[in-house]
Amino acid sequence: MLQHPIPSTPRALSGLPVPAARRAEAEQHYRKGVRALQAGQWADAGRHFNRATQITPDDPLFWINLAQTHRKQDDLPRAAAAIRRAIALDPANLLACKFAGTLFGEQGLYHEAIEAYRGLAPGVETDHEYHCSYGEALYRIERYTEAIDQFVLSFTCKPDYLWAHVRLANTLSRLRLHQEAVECFRTALALQPRNAQFLGNLIHQNQYACRWDTLDVDVQQLQTLIRDGAGEFVTPFTLIAIDATPQDQLRAARIAADEIFGSPPRLPADPRGPRAPGERLRIGYLSSDFHHHATALLMAEVLERHDRDRFEVFLYSSGQDDGSAMRRRMMASSEHWLDVSRVSNPDLAQRIRVDGIDIAIDLKGFTRDTRMGVLARRPAPIQATWLGFPATCGAEFIDYIIGDPVVTPLSAQPDFSEHIAQLPWTYQPNDRQRPLGDPMPRAACGLPEDAFVFCSFNVNYKILPAVFERWCRLLKAVPGSVLWLFEANPQASANLAREATNQGVDPARIIFAPWMEPVQHLPRIMAADLFLDTLPCNAHTTASDSLWAGVPVITCLGETFAGRVAASLLRAADCEELITSTLDEYEALALALARDPARLAAIRQRLVDKRMTVPLFDSARFARDLEHLYLRMAERHREGLPPAALPAPPEPA
């Protein structure tokens, strides 16, 4: 929040225990430092401010300015030391407090930022920036109620302070108060009407609440802002579940990558050079999701099956320790587990370099708590993105996106800033150690025993009017059928019930399933007859869960990566006949299967019979294919060749 913490005009010094001539000399260095700082001459500014602190070491303002120059030069340890000195000299200095909070917050060191805000001396008059930045740090460590208090204090100080309304919206979203978040974003848009980021977030919050009354108008306006290059950058994740073209996604991702990650100093070239053939490759995975999260649930067994004779695996975990069994399993899945949750981006980049990582894999992209910015410093000679974000990242420092012939066909290369690297079957790993358990009785799920059960366990923001209309038509065409949906939040459930009524469907025929642990959810899925996919963003982990449980998934092939995932999974599950190319075909196939119990039963039996042999659930095969892809990347690097598209081999490795 604090963009320019240094006063642009010099401050007169007083009360310092040095002779007047020395005070004048310090003042002169201070003035020169300010001019150099304003001109972007960081080294000159630092030299002058450093000299001023040597002459008058008890003046906090000199230390604040010195901290700023170190920050601009990406020397965060020295910046932190300087700002701590300023605070020690004057604990009531609001400027020093805000700068410290900003400095630590920029590096993801939110606990340190909170300590700085809390350390402000009692009785100091605070301002809107202080409260908003304090609230953001609290938000980042999920202390949402406390964060809201700070945001309210922020716009109490300044009612039209834009960022307080935006941060409050984000926090309300985390509390599943999506419609309330929408109103905060509308206030932000009133203050800054052509801000594509705020409009995209507003759309996304309305989608979480399944509130569609302004969706078409809002999406059209957002597309115009993106294509005209007007307004602020849009968060790329918001484009995943709306009718955005691949070209829109690439354009937005490039702008966002430049805005969010910038161009931090790159590490010097690694003098060690590529590894010789036969040496173990060091693979580093970066994520904040190495705990009870979909990413970990999908990739756990693949990590365990890495060939330790050829690959040395490092997990850089920047997320919370939730104490779960999955967290413990992830920790045991690799040779090197590193908790980097409180390590700054520059320090983490240096650690990756020191560890000698050959291929760094970002598992987050533009999702919450990403550390993709670490790779902007080029700590590894080969850098790729995989699994966490189903679209291009638009970042020139990412060499490859790991996909497959369906989600990332080579014909789509112009829509990706990364080079496409294809796995032969599907980009998505799976853990076939997941216990299925016994099928849960329908009565325990709140389902009627004799009804045909359509289901979709996608998160609610993926449900759009065009698909929901098809679902309602299916309910009307199949007497006694019900639609079983995941209940992400009460607002969405109420709005979907209302939409069903508008479509002429009794809302009692829509049954909502609460969240359950996977060990309970997998047996529950088996109570459904047919899974109906969403578009333009497909089911991802939920589709794999359904197929693992033996429930067929019908999908419609989309235009973007996110809209082709279910087709990728069905191909790898030997169920390509469930892939359609239009919503008319999708509806017709769903209706045909609902009316043909024998045909549907045969597909279900095939899923069960081939569960342990199809590529989708063959973790050992997936690990070999992934390793083969890594070896191809490394071979190009060893031969001095730049990254290039890596098509899937004709047959699995």
Side-chain angles (χ1 to χ4, degrees):
M1 307 303 299
L2 190 60
Q3 299 298 319
H4 304 287
I6 309 305
S8 59
T9 57
R11 178 184 67 81
L13 303 178
S14 62
L16 297 177
V18 293
R22 297 286 284 169
R23 290 203 304 270
E25 182 184 356
E27 178 74 10
Q28 187 177 32
H29 280 292
Y30 173 81
R31 291 174 183 273
K32 289 180 179 179
V34 168
R35 288 195 293 271
L37 192 63
Q38 292 172 334
Q41 298 167 350
W42 317 129
D44 286 345
R47 186 171 60 254
H48 287 296
F49 291 135
N50 188 58
R51 184 62 183 139
T53 62
Q54 292 174 349
I55 298 170
T56 56
D58 295 332
D59 191 292
L61 183 60
F62 292 172
W63 290 101
I64 298 173
N65 279 272
L66 182 60
Q68 174 73 314
T69 60
H70 288 317
R71 173 197 184 200
K72 291 293 187 181
Q73 296 177 89
D74 207 38
D75 191 342
L76 300 179
R78 287 187 177 181
I83 198 61
R84 286 190 172 110
R85 178 66 183 272
I87 291 173
L89 289 168
D90 184 6
N93 191 309
L94 179 62
L95 181 61
C97 171
K98 292 196 295 184
F99 183 90
T102 297
L103 177 70
F104 296 129
E106 285 175 341
Q107 301 308 310
L109 304 175
Y110 301 114
H111 291 87
E112 286 85 344
I114 290 169
E115 288 175 10
Y117 294 123
R118 292 181 62 185
L120 185 64
V124 176
E125 184 176 350
T126 53
D127 62 11
H128 57 287
E129 285 184 336
Y130 167 87
H131 290 294
C132 193
S133 298
Y134 191 176
E136 175 68 4
L138 291 164
Y139 163 82
R140 291 290 183 173
I141 62 170
E142 301 184 3
R143 289 162 61 176
Y144 299 132
T145 303
E146 295 171 77
I148 289 174
D149 291 340
Q150 293 299 324
F151 297 136
V152 171
L153 286 171
S154 180
F155 56 67
T156 299
C157 295
K158 184 176 171 56
D160 63 346
Y161 187 48
L162 176 70
W163 292 107
H165 295 282
V166 172
R167 305 305 186 210
L168 178 58
N170 292 337
T171 309
L172 291 170
S173 171
R174 293 296 168 190
L175 295 172
R176 301 194 300 173
L177 298 172
H178 302 293
Q179 293 181 165
E180 290 78 3
V182 165
E183 298 311 310
C184 292
F185 279 124
R186 289 209 184 278
T187 301
L189 280 168
L191 294 169
Q192 200 172 98
R194 291 181 62 76
N195 190 304
Q197 184 180 19
F198 300 162
L199 180 57
N201 290 343
L202 180 150
I203 292 169
H204 201 56
Q205 292 306 309
N206 267 332
Q207 287 181 273
Y208 265 112
C210 294
R211 184 177 172 182
W212 304 324
D213 48 328
T214 64
L215 182 62
D216 290 343
V217 173
D218 290 338
V219 168
Q220 185 176 17
Q221 182 183 353
L222 180 63
Q223 290 172 335
T224 299
L225 289 174
I226 294 171
R227 293 167 188 174
D228 290 349
E232 298 294 323
F233 76 95
V234 60
T235 304
F237 190 83
T238 63
L239 301 184
I240 296 297
I242 65 172
D243 289 319
T245 66
Q247 295 76 31
D248 289 338
Q249 292 184 352
L250 176 60
R251 188 179 296 112
R254 287 190 188 279
I255 296 170
D258 183 63
E259 179 72 21
I260 297 171
F261 307 122
S263 300
R266 291 191 172 189
L267 295 180
D270 191 339
R272 289 173 291 194
R275 297 197 186 279
E279 280 192 85
R280 286 209 301 170
L281 282 180
R282 294 189 173 188
I283 311 298
Y285 295 98
L286 286 73
S287 181
S288 60
D289 299 330
F290 293 140
H291 49 253
H292 192 78
H293 184 277
T295 296
L297 294 171
L298 288 172
M299 68 184 297
E301 186 176 2
V302 170
L303 290 176
E304 293 164 345
R305 288 183 173 273
H306 264 311
D307 184 344
R308 300 297 177 88
D309 292 331
R310 296 193 300 166
F311 297 90
E312 190 173 355
V313 177
F314 295 68
L315 298 189
Y316 297 93
S317 172
S318 58
Q320 63 179 329
D321 181 355
D322 60 357
S324 65
M326 180 54 67
R327 173 80 168 189
R328 294 189 296 274
R329 185 177 174 190
M330 296 301 287
M331 293 175 70
S333 69
S334 62
E335 292 175 74
H336 305 279
W337 169 270
L338 300 99
D339 184 344
V340 296
S341 57
R342 301 186 74 169
V343 177
S344 69
N345 283 359
D347 288 345
L348 178 51
Q350 186 61 45
R351 178 58 191 263
I352 292 170
R353 171 61 60 82
V354 170
D355 288 340
I357 298 302
D358 299 296
I359 304 177
I361 308 293
D362 170 67
L363 296 168
K364 292 294 294 182
F366 290 107
T367 59
R368 191 182 185 209
D369 297 329
T370 182
R371 298 297 294 272
M372 188 167 66
V374 170
L375 301 188
R377 299 169 187 273
R378 271 289 175 185
I382 303 168
Q383 302 186 157
T385 182
W386 175 45
L387 191 61
F389 183 65
T392 182
C393 290
E396 55 83 23
F397 53 83
I398 301 293
D399 302 311
Y400 295 100
I401 182 170
I402 297 176
D404 62 54
V406 177
V407 295
T408 53
L410 294 182
S411 60
Q413 182 62 76
D415 303 324
F416 291 84
S417 61
E418 311 88 348
H419 297 282
I420 291 173
Q422 293 178 336
L423 291 165
W425 287 101
T426 179
Y427 83 104
Q428 189 192 90
N430 267 282
D431 175 17
R432 61 177 175 184
Q433 296 181 29
R434 292 175 294 171
L436 278 171
D438 296 326
M440 189 176 293
R442 282 192 167 183
C445 302
L447 297 170
E449 289 292 342
D450 56 350
F452 188 92
V453 178
F454 296 105
C455 79
S456 183
F457 291 112
N458 278 325
V459 67
N460 295 158
Y461 71 79
K462 295 184 181 183
I463 303 173
L464 292 187
V467 169
F468 189 73
E469 179 184 356
R470 303 286 177 156
W471 293 352
C472 288
R473 286 165 56 167
L474 287 168
L475 290 175
K476 288 187 283 188
V478 181
S481 61
V482 297
L483 177 61
W484 196 19
L485 302 178
F486 171 59
E487 183 173 36
N489 64 87
Q491 293 178 341
S493 302
N495 287 329
L496 287 171
R498 186 180 64 252
E499 289 293 332
T501 301
N502 294 340
Q503 296 282 341
V505 172
D506 182 353
R509 295 176 68 186
I510 300 181
I511 299 169
F512 292 98
W515 183 87
M516 281 185 175
E517 292 281 356
V519 69
Q520 299 169 299
H521 178 59
L522 288 171
R524 174 173 68 175
I525 295 174
M526 289 184 260
D529 291 300
L530 185 62
F531 188 110
L532 301 175
D533 197 14
T534 49
L535 196 75
C537 185
N538 288 171
H540 296 180
T541 306
T542 48
S544 289
D545 287 345
S546 182
L547 294 171
W548 179 245
V551 176
V553 176
I554 293 180
T555 192
C556 182
L557 190 65
E559 186 180 3
T560 65
F561 186 135
R564 304 172 71 87
V565 170
S568 167
L569 304 180
L570 287 166
R571 171 177 173 266
D574 191 25
C575 285
E576 290 184 85
E577 73 270 28
L578 299 179
I579 304 170
T580 64
S581 57
T582 68
L583 284 179
D584 284 343
E585 292 178 6
Y586 166 94
E587 181 183 351
L589 179 58
L591 184 58
L593 289 176
R595 289 174 171 173
D596 191 342
R599 180 183 174 192
L600 182 59
I603 296 172
R604 291 180 69 110
Q605 190 61 48
R606 191 200 324 160
L607 283 171
V608 173
D609 292 344
K610 293 189 172 185
R611 182 183 287 137
M612 302 303 289
T613 59
V614 292
L616 180 60
F617 300 119
D618 190 338
S619 302
R621 178 191 294 188
F622 190 99
R624 292 194 303 271
D625 291 337
L626 183 63
E627 290 168 351
H628 181 64
L629 194 57
Y630 289 160
L631 290 170
R632 292 170 68 193
M633 294 176 184
E635 184 179 4
R636 288 194 63 86
H637 175 63
R638 186 166 50 248
E639 294 177 353
L641 298 173
L646 300 176
E651 294 183 2

